[in-house]
Amino acid sequence: MINECGHKMCENCMNTIFTRPTAPCPECGQPLKKSDYRERQFDDMYIERDVNIRKEIMRDFNKREEDFDTLEEYNDYLENVEEMIHKRVNNINILEISSEIEKYKKDNRDQIYRNRRKQEQEIRDTQDKFDRDITDAEIRRDERRLEMIREKQRAKEENERKLDELISGKKLSPQQEEEPVNRPKENEPISFAKKEEISYKLTLNKHLKEEPYVYTPMRLHLNGPTPPPIEIIDTLGYNLYFCNSIEGNRLAGGFSVNVACQRVLQEAFTDLYYNM
Amino acid sequence: MFNESTHKKHWLFPDLAHIDKLRKEAYDKHIETYTPLNPITYEEQSLLIRHYSKELIKFCSVYNPPVPPGTIYTALTYFNRIYLREASIQLQPRDMMFSCAYLAFKVDEYNLSIDQFLKVLPKEMQSLVGHTVISFELTVMSALNCELAVYSPYRPLHGLLTDMKVRHSEEVELLKDKSEKYLSLSILTDVIFLYPPSQIALCAIYISCEDLGIDIEQYMTECLFSDQPDGMKQAIKIVRTQDEILKQHNNKYLGDSEWKIIEEKLGKCRNPEFDPRDPNFTFRNKQI
């Protein structure tokens, strides 16, 4: 549990202290009622304090963006509020701040009240919308379930009818046979499983149409003499003039003297014919 | 690869006049938008930039372990590229020198924290330079159009020398030192905006060979330009032009007292919005 002045206390101690209606805070001695204690939300006391003070201040400083003419004014206002919260939290100029808040409350009493009403209304609206969404979803689910039951029933009836026909010995022409099977399908809504099946088929088809990847070796346009290919750089003897030998782990990483040689030679020959 | 890089696409220009025009335009643009009393002239600006190019190399050489020459080249290229698009009354060469160095160290993975970066400077300068470097980082990036890939001529130089040694069995140790020395001078000139790194390296080798009395022309005709009918002649022309640019360039460095005068003049006429010592500066930087 935590109290108004931001000090903590365990539940057991609370019970022993509050034999009378009021008791002083054990840390700072401020007299408090039991209702001044509440459940603690955050581990960090500083954050706890910040959140509470913020809640308290925002109850009064509830102006909105549309209450200001320009965005800049609104931003200034927000900054001012933050500043106040910061000062309250860190106990800077407490007296000054409280008098400022009182003054603000007096000056803007109507607006604070109005905005509070607005806020409550908004909360109510969103709550309503949320409830509505849930009931809508439920209705839809029920409909779907009913639809599925009906479908099964229809299939069953169809089967029975066919069996009856076969038993009674009537011969159907192939066209006639297919017709009754197809007809109900046109009217019935496509169920989810089917939809998925169709879209799956579509993506599969699309995928198959793509061209397979063909490797084309990179071509360097050097605009200069051609350097020797990387494979034979060491056999030509270039590596002898690169004194730095390569250690085991670098070699394992795929790095070789030839790579360094090739880079140097490429850079040496690139654009030697520039502007010629 | 250099072929597809922004270095080749956007930062190589046809001739010196073109580069000069770009610089002049950038200078005029800034002088017009921010008109100070007694502004620094275009010529003075060029001299100052030249001076600080040299300072930049000096500054980069202080670090230990030594900064690789390719990284120094990157920093130098950034520094010179900036003044193709911006002017010194806006971005002062001294500030840019540190910013470019720090950016190049980052790009080329010469890993240094800002504290380690500042350590080589005298104590009283450290906090201001640190502030400058960090707050100019984005400005520098946007002045460079975020095109940070730079191909230095040092790797091509190494490649050409190795190739010479293998295919022409030439002794290149002496040649290597000599041509690296030549390169360290030629990269201070505008050749970095005119030729691809391989040609800059070739020029360094060719001139060094001439000095040492080594015959390089045989190697060039046999190995480099064998399938290019007119190649040899063109190559020599390119080398000569580069050498000429360097010779012209060398005479125009400022003495110790001279650059201080220009620096002072610039200090008086620079745009305070871009001055890290000015209180307005932090404000502007916040807005970016």
Side-chain angles (χ1 to χ4, degrees):
Chain A
M1 302 292 273
I2 185 166
N3 65 16
E4 279 280 85
C5 36
H7 298 117
K8 51 190 168 182
M9 191 187 288
C10 76
E11 210 143 344
N12 286 336
C13 302
M14 290 257 313
N15 289 334
T16 50
I17 277 188
F18 284 106
T19 44
R20 269 176 294 167
T22 58
C25 168
E27 301 243 357
C28 56
Q30 196 176 338
L32 293 167
K33 276 182 274 187
K34 198 170 182 177
S35 61
D36 290 333
Y37 283 79
R38 65 206 141 58
E39 205 85 41
R40 194 172 151 190
Q41 278 175 301
F42 300 96
D43 279 345
D44 192 332
M45 287 305 287
Y46 184 78
I47 296 175
E48 178 79 40
R49 201 173 144 76
D50 185 288
V51 169
N52 275 314
I53 287 171
R54 184 178 298 273
K55 216 187 270 172
E56 199 181 301
I57 288 188
M58 291 308 253
R59 231 183 23 234
D60 296 321
F61 286 82
N62 56 5
K63 280 193 184 171
R64 286 144 179 266
E65 199 179 334
E66 60 258 28
D67 295 333
F68 296 91
D69 295 335
T70 61
L71 183 63
E72 206 160 315
E73 279 177 47
Y74 178 55
N75 282 337
D76 285 348
Y77 162 78
L78 285 181
E79 205 177 312
N80 193 18
V81 172
E82 285 303 322
E83 189 81 0
M84 242 184 281
I85 292 169
H86 174 77
K87 279 186 181 161
R88 279 284 305 262
V89 172
N90 295 305
N91 286 333
I92 305 166
N93 287 343
I94 278 288
L95 284 176
E96 210 175 286
I97 294 294
S98 356
S99 68
E100 203 176 313
I101 293 173
E102 283 308 317
K103 187 163 165 285
Y104 176 86
K105 266 198 217 171
K106 221 188 271 170
D107 292 348
N108 298 292
R109 198 188 293 143
D110 284 350
Q111 203 175 15
I112 290 172
Y113 183 65
R114 226 173 23 240
N115 279 345
R116 230 181 259 173
R117 284 273 299 280
K118 234 189 259 174
Q119 230 165 16
E120 281 163 11
Q121 184 63 38
E122 267 168 19
I123 289 170
R124 236 176 289 139
D125 284 353
T126 41
Q127 185 63 38
D128 282 355
K129 192 167 177 301
F130 185 64
D131 289 347
R132 241 190 345 264
D133 281 352
I134 286 178
T135 42
D136 279 359
E138 265 171 17
I139 289 169
R140 268 201 299 279
R141 208 168 38 233
D142 284 349
E143 272 175 4
R144 245 191 334 264
R145 208 180 296 136
L146 270 177
E147 187 64 37
M148 263 158 76
I149 292 169
R150 243 180 272 147
E151 208 178 299
K152 266 185 196 162
Q153 218 162 8
R154 219 169 12 217
K156 210 171 155 192
E157 276 170 19
E158 190 70 25
N159 261 349
E160 275 172 12
R161 201 170 54 84
K162 262 198 215 161
L163 277 176
D164 284 348
E165 277 169 0
L166 278 177
I167 288 166
S168 64
K170 264 187 200 169
K171 269 197 172 177
L172 294 167
S173 67
Q175 278 171 340
Q176 270 174 317
E177 201 175 359
E178 268 176 22
E179 243 180 306
V181 185
N182 276 344
R183 197 174 289 150
K185 262 191 183 166
E186 282 167 14
N187 299 339
E188 98 188 306
I190 303 171
S191 67
F192 271 125
K194 273 182 189 158
K195 245 187 202 167
E196 250 166 53
E197 212 176 323
I198 288 169
S199 64
Y200 176 66
K201 269 184 193 161
L202 279 176
T203 52
L204 221 115
N205 280 343
K206 218 170 162 186
H207 193 73
L208 281 175
K209 269 177 202 161
E210 266 173 32
E211 290 281 317
Y213 172 72
V214 181
Y215 170 72
T216 42
M218 190 174 73
R219 278 203 44 186
L220 284 175
H221 180 68
L222 282 185
N223 191 20
T226 327
I230 188 165
E231 295 83 11
I232 60 160
I233 279 180
D234 45 354
T235 50
L236 287 176
Y238 282 96
N239 55 337
L240 295 178
Y241 307 112
F242 279 75
C243 49
N244 32 359
S245 64
I246 293 168
E247 296 150 25
N249 53 352
R250 281 193 176 181
L251 210 58
F255 185 78
S256 73
V257 184
N258 287 12
V259 178
C261 271
Q262 194 203 25
R263 181 176 183 193
V264 169
L265 288 174
Q266 262 178 10
E267 288 214 5
F269 294 159
T270 303
D271 272 313
L272 259 184
Y273 302 161
Y274 182 80
N275 271 352
M276 279 190 184
Chain B
M1 288 299 289
F2 175 75
N3 277 50
E4 284 126 32
S5 64
T6 47
H7 183 162
K8 184 177 176 182
K9 264 185 231 156
H10 301 153
W11 299 101
L12 285 189
F13 304 100
D15 49 33
L16 279 176
H18 192 100
I19 300 169
D20 233 28
K21 200 179 127 216
L22 280 177
R23 285 204 181 107
K24 190 100 180 82
E25 274 170 8
Y27 171 82
D28 288 342
K29 188 181 82 192
H30 283 294
I31 287 285
E32 271 164 35
T33 46
Y34 172 75
T35 40
L37 296 167
N38 189 20
I40 178 172
T41 63
Y42 176 67
E43 285 70 27
E44 283 169 333
Q45 172 181 309
S46 318
L47 286 171
L48 202 61
I49 290 169
R50 202 162 277 178
H51 172 76
Y52 273 108
S53 298
K54 226 173 182 181
E55 287 290 302
L56 174 62
I57 293 180
K58 226 186 268 169
F59 169 71
C60 288
S61 316
V62 180
Y63 287 94
N64 195 25
V67 184
T71 309
I72 299 181
Y73 180 81
T74 308
L76 188 71
T77 311
Y78 290 162
F79 181 75
N80 280 296
R81 281 182 185 181
I82 286 174
Y83 293 104
L84 296 181
R85 307 178 61 170
E86 303 286 340
S88 57
I89 55 161
Q90 184 109 313
L91 301 174
Q92 210 200 13
R94 199 183 140 74
D95 298 339
M96 287 305 106
M97 175 177 102
F98 294 120
S99 301
C100 289
Y102 190 59
L103 184 62
F105 287 1
K106 266 191 194 176
V107 170
D108 283 357
E109 294 185 38
Y110 180 81
N111 290 318
L112 279 184
S113 69
I114 186 78
D115 292 330
Q116 289 166 316
F117 177 79
L118 296 172
K119 236 175 210 161
V120 299
L121 294 168
K123 266 244 156 56
E124 64 274 13
M125 274 168 72
Q126 285 185 5
S127 74
L128 181 64
V129 172
H131 174 58
T132 310
V133 166
I134 286 171
S135 41
F136 270 128
E137 213 161 29
L138 290 179
T139 320
V140 169
M141 290 271 280
S142 69
L144 294 170
N145 215 6
C146 294
E147 292 166 349
L148 302 178
V150 170
Y151 288 79
S152 87
Y154 285 95
R155 194 174 280 123
L157 181 78
H158 195 55
L160 285 172
L161 288 173
T162 314
D163 194 46
M164 261 178 94
K165 200 163 180 177
V166 171
R167 289 206 270 184
H168 220 70
S169 46
E170 201 80 60
E171 275 315 310
V172 291
E173 290 315 310
L174 211 75
L175 187 58
K176 184 167 181 251
D177 293 344
K178 188 114 182 143
S179 39
E180 271 177 4
K181 209 172 267 169
Y182 182 88
L183 209 53
S184 67
L185 293 175
S186 74
I187 57 173
L188 283 163
T189 67
D190 281 336
V191 297
I192 59 171
F193 292 126
L194 293 172
Y195 300 101
S198 53
Q199 287 183 351
I200 299 176
L202 183 67
C203 169
I205 296 177
Y206 187 92
I207 300 291
S208 311
C209 278
E210 260 188 354
D211 288 356
L212 292 170
I214 299 172
D215 176 31
I216 189 190
E217 299 206 357
Q218 199 193 346
Y219 162 72
M220 279 166 73
T221 35
E222 275 174 19
C223 302
L224 298 183
F225 301 101
S226 55
D227 48 352
Q228 202 78 346
D230 215 15
M232 197 56 205
K233 226 161 100 192
Q234 302 251 29
I236 289 175
K237 200 177 133 205
I238 285 172
V239 167
R240 290 274 169 249
T241 331
Q242 283 190 50
D243 197 37
E244 197 50 44
I245 292 173
L246 178 61
K247 272 178 190 150
Q248 295 268 319
H249 187 92
N250 270 346
N251 315 329
K252 295 183 208 155
Y253 278 106
L254 290 172
D256 233 8
S257 53
E258 289 168 299
W259 75 263
K260 273 183 184 147
I261 294 169
I262 299 181
E263 174 94 16
E264 211 169 284
K265 189 173 172 190
L266 177 62
K268 277 175 197 151
C269 70
R270 72 184 297 192
N271 189 343
E273 279 180 32
F274 287 85
D275 187 353
R277 293 162 201 83
D278 196 281
N280 283 334
F281 174 74
T282 25
F283 172 67
R284 198 196 74 89
N285 220 41
K286 263 184 198 161
Q287 280 181 330
I288 285 181

